[in-house]
Amino acid sequence: MLDYKLLEALAAVVECGGFERAGVALGLSQSAVSQRIKALEVRLGQPVLVRAPALAPTPAGRRLLNHFQQVQLLERDLRRALPTLDSSSPRLRIAVNADSLATWWAAAVGRLCQEEGLLIDLVVEDQDVGLKRLRDGDVAACLCATPQPIAGARSVALGTMTYHPLATPAYREHFLPAGPTPGAFRHAPAIVYGPHDQLQHRFLAQCGYRGAFPFHLCPSSEGFMRLARAGMGYGMMPLMQAEEWVTRGELVSIAPGQVLEVPLHWHFWRHSGELIERLTAALNRVQLR
């Protein structure tokens, strides 16, 4: 049988990104956390963590993390059924893309969190790569653009977010006076969320341009919007986030009629318990656009 204190230490090290921070989170010394990881590796007869070049779980460690996530959720359901058991607030670690977090996410889960006393650790991750977090056992669920679930998980389609290429009228007049042409795209600064963000590349390919382009990197959905409103570049933005400034005329499309439809899928482990099922039902009520 597994000692779940050892699995708790493994999860804390991975989530906190180090032994010292994991010790703080667990109320233990760094040495005690290290000893628990060593005991787990001795028990399994193989390593559960790779220390270099960066701290990460091994394949065996990922299997254990996946198991620990599911056990935590099932134990939470058991505590509801047997109130005399020691109870603590349930906690879920979830990967969410920044645009969802900046728009509809809070309204979708807020009531459930209050009713269930649910605490959430949010990992902000691009919608194209969030599934890797689930596969690695780092999160219990994720929002992802990929419909295909991984082994042992389920996928539920939530809807589609529509992205528009927006900039200020002055920016469009200065950098794209003749419209979205390949020559203009070569020199017009774009705004890109991060190194994994492919929305800009997909938009340019849709317009027939596949060359290099200048860009700002801004890993903040709110900051992304501020850069665009300051005239620093154009970017792909969901209309539900930019609608206020589009209505005012402060932001306009640099390519009217050109949009990107990005599907969102909710991925979670099978047999994760009733809480995940209720969270899934809450997310299913969201109206994306």
Side-chain angles (χ1 to χ4, degrees):
M1 297 296 291
L2 293 169
D3 184 338
Y4 283 90
K5 288 185 178 179
L6 307 185
L7 295 188
E8 182 183 41
L10 174 62
V13 170
V14 172
E15 290 175 8
C16 297
F19 287 80
E20 184 176 354
R21 289 191 289 271
V24 172
L26 295 174
L28 300 171
S29 67
Q30 179 178 342
S31 175
V33 174
S34 181
Q35 288 172 14
R36 289 188 179 187
I37 297 299
K38 183 177 180 180
L40 182 59
E41 291 180 329
V42 169
R43 172 71 180 80
L44 293 177
Q46 59 182 299
V48 296
L49 288 172
V50 175
R51 273 71 170 179
L55 191 66
T58 63
R62 287 196 294 270
R63 292 286 300 273
L64 290 173
L65 288 170
N66 292 342
H67 174 74
F68 187 59
Q69 292 268 4
Q70 294 177 69
V71 166
Q72 285 182 307
L73 290 168
L74 292 173
E75 283 188 351
R76 184 261 173 198
D77 291 342
L78 186 61
R79 290 190 183 102
R80 284 176 61 92
L82 302 173
T84 54
L85 287 177
D86 180 40
S87 181
S88 59
S89 296
R91 191 172 200 95
L92 284 180
R93 186 170 169 85
I94 299 172
V96 181
N97 64 307
D99 292 329
S100 293
L101 186 58
T103 51
W104 60 268
W105 173 263
V109 305
R111 183 176 179 180
L112 180 68
C113 288
Q114 292 176 18
E115 292 174 347
E116 301 287 342
L118 174 62
L119 302 175
I120 295 180
D121 289 340
L122 291 175
V123 178
V124 179
E125 192 63 271
D126 188 83
Q127 65 267 10
D128 289 328
V129 296
L131 195 58
K132 182 180 183 299
R133 292 275 194 170
L134 184 66
R135 183 181 294 109
D136 289 347
D138 187 30
V139 297
C142 73
L143 285 176
C144 183
T146 304
Q148 184 64 35
I150 60 178
R154 288 180 55 197
S155 172
V156 175
L158 297 183
T160 301
M161 291 187 74
T162 303
Y163 285 77
H164 297 250
L166 302 177
T168 63
Y171 174 94
R172 183 175 67 176
E173 182 179 346
H174 178 76
F175 287 101
L176 299 101
T181 65
F185 286 137
R186 257 192 239 61
H187 304 288
I191 308 171
V192 176
Y193 180 81
H196 300 297
D197 182 9
Q198 293 296 307
L199 293 182
Q200 201 73 41
H201 300 78
R202 288 168 55 190
F203 161 70
L204 291 174
Q206 190 171 281
C207 292
Y209 181 73
R210 291 178 171 78
F213 59 93
F215 59 90
H216 305 281
L217 275 179
C218 180
S220 161
S221 189
E222 293 80 3
F224 195 103
M225 182 73 67
R226 289 182 179 273
L227 294 190
R229 291 174 60 205
M232 294 176 60
Y234 71 97
M236 304 306 297
M237 305 178 207
L239 186 59
M240 62 194 310
Q241 182 182 18
E243 190 169 21
E244 176 183 351
W245 293 282
V246 171
T247 301
R248 291 180 185 174
E250 294 181 27
L251 291 175
V252 296
S253 175
I254 64 166
Q258 292 278 11
V259 298
L260 282 180
E261 303 287 345
V262 178
L264 282 183
H265 299 267
W266 173 242
H267 292 254
F268 56 96
W269 293 113
R270 292 181 182 273
H271 314 301
S272 290
E274 297 176 6
L275 181 59
I276 283 286
E277 294 294 342
R278 282 194 284 276
L279 181 55
T280 301
L283 295 177
N284 256 328
R285 292 192 286 268
V286 174
Q287 297 296 316
L288 299 180
R289 60 188 175 88

